[in-house]
Amino acid sequence: MNESEKRREKLLRDTRSQYSSRRGTPAVHPRYRAMYQNLYGYGEEDRISGSTLGVRIFICLILFGIFAAADYRDEKIWKFSPAQIISEIGNQPDFSALGDGFLSR
């Protein structure tokens, strides 16, 4: 490899590292830069590496276990029976009345 090939290869590596999307925040308007830096951090070391998915799944499993145990024993959760909870989950909300309330004001 001669000198010009080495120089071109070095320039190519520098260009790839400069324009790589893996580093830094996305290109945003300067007005919103502070908000994006709060979301993404200032660099790679500030980014959050973990997520809360496992914790949320664990909480959901605990709540489902409580519900299943209450349904099995026909007990109430606070003042609601499991049948009432199931029927409320299955109900479709009426959004038309909500829209009429906003339009009448």
Side-chain angles (χ1 to χ4, degrees), residues 21-79:
S21 63
R22 288 180 290 187
R23 78 168 182 80
T25 59
V28 296
H29 190 275
R31 180 183 301 161
Y32 307 112
R33 184 169 294 146
M35 180 178 67
Y36 270 78
Q37 286 176 344
N38 285 339
L39 289 173
Y40 293 105
Y42 292 97
E44 291 294 324
E45 65 277 352
D46 292 337
R47 292 200 178 161
I48 298 172
S49 61
S51 70
T52 60
L53 179 64
V55 174
R56 290 183 284 156
I57 289 174
F58 180 71
I59 291 171
C60 289
L61 288 174
I62 288 175
L63 291 174
F64 178 74
I66 291 170
F67 175 77
D71 187 33
Y72 181 73
R73 295 180 182 167
D74 292 327
E75 294 183 13
K76 290 187 174 187
I77 301 173
W78 291 290
K79 62 179 182 176

